[in-house]
Amino acid sequence: MSLSFIKRLIRRYGDTGQVIPLPRGGGAIAKIRTSNLAVVEQLVDEQPDAILEELCSRFAAKSGVEVSVATMHRAVQRLNLTTKKNTICQ
């Protein structure tokens, strides 16, 4: 344990009378909120073989929110959808 941790612990005990840990801080706010998941679902339904980059640009055009490929991937996973390419076997 560091000296600064001990000092903060003593200060917290003096202020609150307890040494329980502080609550965790908030996380990052999702760019694609649950209200926008319907837009993502609609985009995938319209073009099921679109790549994630295409979905990102179409989502930005529709909602005005620019997202990364990773964010779009998480949204598609959250909806249990797939973005499979159609393959043509000859």
Side-chain angles (χ1 to χ4, degrees), residues 17-83:
Q18 299 177 344
V19 292
I20 59 173
L22 295 174
R24 293 190 66 167
I29 298 171
K31 281 192 155 188
I32 300 179
R33 300 177 187 268
T34 51
S35 59
N36 287 341
L37 285 177
V39 175
V40 173
E41 188 169 16
Q42 178 187 6
L43 293 174
V44 173
D45 286 342
E46 289 172 1
Q47 189 179 0
D49 63 342
I51 62 173
L52 291 170
E53 289 176 5
E54 293 170 346
L55 289 175
C56 289
S57 62
R58 292 174 58 211
F59 181 77
K62 232 175 197 184
S63 68
V65 179
E66 291 188 15
V67 295
S68 68
V69 172
T71 300
M72 183 58 68
H73 183 256
R74 285 190 298 271
V76 170
Q77 277 186 326
R78 201 174 317 143
L79 291 168
N80 293 324
L81 301 174
T82 59
T83 55

